[in-house]
Amino acid sequence: MWTMRRVVCPALMAIGFRVVSRGTRREVNRLFVMNDSPRLPALAFAAAFAAAFAAAVGVLVAACAAPPEEGRGAGLADADLPVAEAAQSYGAALRASFDFEPGLSLLLEPASLPRGLGDDPGPQVSDAVRRAMAEQGSIQGTCTPRVERAGNAPICDAPIPGYVVRLSEVYRLSADTLQLHVLVRRYDTPATAPHSEFGFEEVYQLVRRDGRWVVARKGRLARR
């Protein structure tokens, strides 16, 4: 069934039309145009007008369909770092939030944080980056945590309890600055007594110094 939907978009309202939509199809059902240009033969004018109008509507509808970005990576391109640099930048972020002592267990959740808002699984962190992070001593393994009881820390099959981390892509903030996000959650093991769930997300900005990425600033984000 066709349904009428008013498009709330100043750019489209300015040329005075509504659209009828079904899925991804749209057609104009009302149009008001004032034309002060010199007269053209009817067919030529109709063809020229149709082409110009279709192009204009395409641009305006696309603009209205893409709201401003917000959240992780808003307006930023992926940094596309080599594997060793990506792993080192993640390790620098983790070292800015944790004291790397013998009793610390950090496990990597393979699914990355998505762009924008929410915690839906993003692309998998590549095997090469995982291996490089382990070789650099930034993580002790991987875990896809399972929730066994609401309100309790999730469970990882690991020797000792610790924290499981999810990483965003590394974004290019400027020519010499990176930005990335890390979501941290406490985990329990099957053998340990349960703890209450605890977690936080931080955003990091890193700069290049002496051939390595170092954290220049970081901030904790409010979780909804």
Side-chain angles (χ1 to χ4, degrees), residues 2-181:
W2 291 90
T3 58
M4 185 68 70
R5 180 168 62 88
R6 185 175 298 276
V7 176
V8 182
C9 176
L12 293 178
M13 292 173 65
I15 62 172
F17 74 84
R18 297 177 295 173
V19 297
V20 175
S21 65
R22 184 183 187 184
T24 59
R25 298 178 56 191
R26 290 182 172 86
E27 69 180 27
V28 177
N29 77 335
R30 190 178 66 179
L31 171 67
F32 303 95
V33 176
M34 295 185 65
N35 178 35
D36 295 326
S37 60
R39 291 191 175 186
L40 297 173
L43 291 178
F45 173 78
F49 173 78
F53 178 73
V57 169
V59 170
L60 292 172
V61 169
C64 291
E69 288 187 83
E70 58 179 334
R72 305 179 195 100
L76 304 178
D78 289 346
D80 292 326
L81 298 176
V83 168
E85 282 193 42
Q88 189 268 308
S89 68
Y90 289 133
L94 294 175
R95 284 173 169 78
S97 292
F98 291 95
D99 292 325
F100 273 65
E101 299 177 343
L104 176 67
S105 177
L106 285 183
L107 303 182
L108 174 66
E109 187 168 347
S112 68
L113 289 169
R115 274 185 174 269
L117 304 173
D119 293 338
D120 291 340
Q124 297 280 298
V125 179
S126 73
D127 290 340
V129 169
R130 293 186 221 175
R131 286 194 298 270
M133 291 183 68
E135 290 169 0
Q136 294 170 10
S138 299
I139 57 172
Q140 284 72 54
T142 61
C143 169
T144 299
R146 59 185 184 273
V147 177
E148 295 190 346
R149 184 173 181 179
N152 283 358
I155 303 297
C156 285
D157 295 316
I160 60 174
Y163 298 90
V164 59
V165 298
R166 284 181 70 188
L167 310 173
S168 73
E169 298 288 341
V170 182
Y171 307 116
R172 180 73 66 180
L173 188 63
S174 66
D176 60 355
T177 307
L178 305 177
Q179 183 164 298
L180 62 89
H181 294 244

Side-chain angles (χ1 to χ4, degrees), residues 81-82 84-89 92 172 174-178 205-216:
L81 298 176
E85 282 193 42
Q88 189 268 308
S89 68
R172 180 73 66 180
S174 66
D176 60 355
T177 307
L178 305 177
Q205 293 179 359
L206 301 92
V207 296
R208 195 79 166 157
R209 187 177 299 159
D210 297 329
R212 296 176 62 83
W213 293 104
V214 298
V215 173

